[in-house]
Amino acid sequence: MVPFGHQEDRMEQGRPHAAVPAQADARGEHVHEAYERPARRVPQRYSVRGQVLDALRKALVSGELTPGEVYSGPVLGERFGVSATPVREAMQQLVLEGAVEVVPNRGFRVASRTARDLAELAEVRALLEVPAVLRLAGAAPAGCWAGLRPLAERAAAVAVCGDRAAYAEADRAFHAALLALTGNRQLVLVAEGLQRRTPATDLTRDAAEHLVLLDALASGDLARAEDVLRRHVHG
């Protein structure tokens, strides 16, 4: 168990935490009481809440937090070596992002995405990102796309490793940098929120599409760029 290093939230170190099976409540729903996997070390420059939020996001993407299951603040706090307060604060942010929902007096349930949910989210992403990128492509110099290639190559390298949490971060970095060229900060924020709710299913294909998109934009082939981007956001 690796605590996040905040003095007031630090728990006794060196004490192993045994995994406890999920228990069913009166309604038959399962509440997870502990984890087997150790917490990841996070850079100290972040606040405890920020560290916990990053760790929770990675756990959601990697599948360590299971859709439909309920997790309590105190138990997650024990898992990360902090008090329940920063966990609850981080979870409230995830509620706003649509990743979890509050279960009164019990904790937080990880959201389950139906096929319709994913299709609707992808449609909204396409409505935002495709016109923005095409407008940008019509005005930006061809050389501006070269600056995005290292990010696309980084995502491709991570995709080969199969690390979904690391790929999600690399993928968001690419899209954020692409949309940042529009100069619209709100577009970047909204698109990032949608992207968090629609993780890639095929990492290598998703990463390869970044490079194809950049090639199309650099060559001025806007029809191809639009086709690739639409397919990309729909997964």
Side-chain angles (χ1 to χ4, degrees):
M1 181 62 65
V2 180
F4 282 132
H6 194 276
Q7 187 66 34
E8 64 187 26
D9 286 322
R10 189 179 304 157
M11 298 182 66
E12 180 183 353
Q13 299 187 33
R15 177 167 55 90
H17 295 276
V20 179
Q23 298 181 357
D25 66 5
R27 290 175 292 179
E29 295 180 317
H30 288 84
V31 180
H32 281 228
E33 294 299 334
Y35 283 95
E36 293 180 351
R37 303 180 70 171
R40 299 180 179 88
R41 183 176 296 279
V42 184
Q44 295 298 313
R45 65 180 177 273
Y46 298 115
S47 67
V48 174
R49 175 188 175 277
Q51 294 174 52
V52 173
L53 180 58
D54 286 347
L56 287 171
R57 282 172 172 163
K58 290 177 181 178
L60 287 166
V61 173
S62 67
E64 290 179 47
L65 296 182
T66 308
E69 297 292 347
V70 178
Y71 299 88
S72 72
V75 170
L76 286 174
E78 183 178 1
R79 182 255 192 274
F80 293 128
V82 300
S83 70
T85 298
V87 173
R88 292 192 180 104
E89 291 174 348
M91 278 294 197
Q92 289 300 331
Q93 176 60 38
L94 293 176
V95 169
L96 295 177
E97 295 176 4
V100 301
E101 59 186 18
V102 176
V103 181
N105 301 319
R106 298 180 63 234
F108 301 86
R109 179 184 290 111
V110 178
S112 299
R113 305 263 185 249
T114 66
R116 177 174 178 174
D117 292 334
L118 295 174
E120 290 176 348
L121 288 167
E123 182 179 3
V124 176
R125 279 192 68 188
L127 289 171
L128 287 174
E129 294 189 40
V130 174
V133 172
L134 292 180
R135 284 197 302 271
L136 176 64
C144 76
W145 311 115
L148 299 178
R149 186 163 292 274
L151 293 173
E153 292 173 345
R154 165 62 180 164
V158 173
V160 172
C161 299
D163 186 334
R164 291 191 170 275
Y167 180 76
E169 293 179 1
D171 186 35
R172 280 194 296 274
F174 173 81
H175 282 271
L178 173 63
L179 295 178
L181 294 175
T182 67
N184 190 325
R185 294 173 298 174
Q186 298 306 313
L187 172 62
V188 175
L189 290 174
V190 172
E192 181 181 10
L194 291 169
Q195 191 178 6
R196 288 188 184 281
R197 300 166 70 182
T198 53
T201 53
D202 187 327
L203 303 189
T204 54
R205 183 191 66 190
D206 194 79
E209 288 172 345
H210 293 159
L211 294 165
V212 175
L213 174 62
L214 290 180
D215 289 341
L217 291 170
S219 66
D221 189 344
L222 299 191
R224 185 184 182 206
E226 179 177 2
D227 179 63
V228 171
L229 188 53
R230 287 191 184 280
R231 285 189 286 108
H232 182 70
V233 299
H234 280 88

